[in-house]
Amino acid sequence: ELTESQARYSDLYDFAPVGYFTCNSRGIMMEVNLSASSMLGVERMKLRRKHFQQFVVGEDGDTIPKHLQDIFREEIPQSCEIRIKNVRDETQSHVQLTSILRETPEGLRCRTAMTDTTERKEAEEALRESTLRLELALGAGRVGLWDWDMGTNQAYFSPEWKSQIGYEPDEM
């Protein structure tokens, strides 16, 4: 039963679609699953004793010491979003780190799940750019716009539409 339980744990840990790693209070990785190894572009055995921060892109590196400090000080789950680089192919990814503090035989350790959020971030950016282009086009064309969501009974009236019927932007 113990062998079966260990095999099941290994399968779930190593082949999870989420990266997992365990580190000490300084961010030195002690354990890493296969998904985290793939996300960082380094063989798993070579990640042990490496500082996670060396894979963080630019100014996002300042987030890691604070994240670790919060975990070890507050002892409650913490989350943050950062960009990491894959050493093998030099690509960058957006990831969300969700960490908890656990007591181990070696002392307190931070256990972290690393979820790739790159597609969501790219979709958010595309939506932001599309919204900006629409606003510019509507403004340049002096197009008044109104929208009514019948499900929520919420209405939107663009400033140009209000102006066209004689109202100020803050009226109505």
Side-chain angles (χ1 to χ4, degrees):
E1 286 180 16
L2 179 60
T3 302
E4 174 58 30
S5 176
Q6 287 174 328
R8 191 170 41 253
Y9 167 79
S10 178
D11 289 347
L12 290 172
Y13 179 78
D14 281 334
F15 299 106
V18 172
Y20 292 117
F21 63 90
T22 301
C23 66
N24 64 16
S25 62
R26 294 178 298 138
I28 305 297
M29 293 182 284
M30 314 308 257
E31 294 178 54
V32 181
N33 78 342
L34 293 173
S35 292
S37 171
S38 176
M39 292 167 89
L40 298 174
V42 178
E43 183 182 319
R44 177 164 62 172
M45 298 307 287
K46 292 181 179 177
L47 285 171
R48 289 191 178 142
R49 300 274 182 227
K50 297 282 186 195
H51 200 290
F52 177 73
Q53 191 160 349
Q54 76 184 58
F55 301 99
V56 180
V57 175
E59 66 276 0
D60 288 356
D62 296 340
T63 304
I64 298 305
K66 182 181 178 337
H67 181 75
L68 288 169
Q69 180 183 11
D70 290 347
I71 288 290
F72 282 87
R73 184 184 66 232
E74 297 179 23
E75 299 184 12
I76 59 173
Q78 301 286 327
S79 292
C80 66
E81 291 193 9
I82 59 168
R83 291 169 296 143
I84 60 170
K85 62 183 169 215
N86 181 301
V87 175
R88 185 178 315 114
D89 61 15
E90 296 294 320
T91 58
Q92 293 184 10
S93 302
H94 291 269
V95 295
Q96 177 176 345
L97 303 180
T98 304
S99 303
I100 59 172
L101 190 64
R102 288 292 183 251
E103 181 70 45
T104 70
E106 297 82 28
L108 287 175
R109 295 290 185 253
C110 174
R111 293 207 173 136
T112 300
M114 181 169 53
T115 307
D116 190 331
T117 59
T118 304
E119 286 184 21
R120 178 179 59 89
K121 288 286 192 182
E122 289 172 351
E124 288 171 354
E125 180 61 21
L127 178 60
R128 189 189 68 73
E129 289 176 7
S130 177
T131 301
L132 181 59
R133 279 194 301 275
L134 176 61
E135 288 173 359
L136 289 171
L138 290 173
R142 298 193 40 92
V143 175
L145 176 71
W146 66 270
D147 181 44
W148 175 32
D149 183 335
M150 291 188 285
T152 63
N153 202 29
Q154 297 261 336
Y156 168 78
F157 305 99
S158 72
E160 182 63 31
W161 185 85
K162 291 176 186 179
S163 172
Q164 289 172 355
I165 62 168
Y167 289 96
E168 293 297 317
D170 58 347
E171 290 184 283
M172 295 181 66

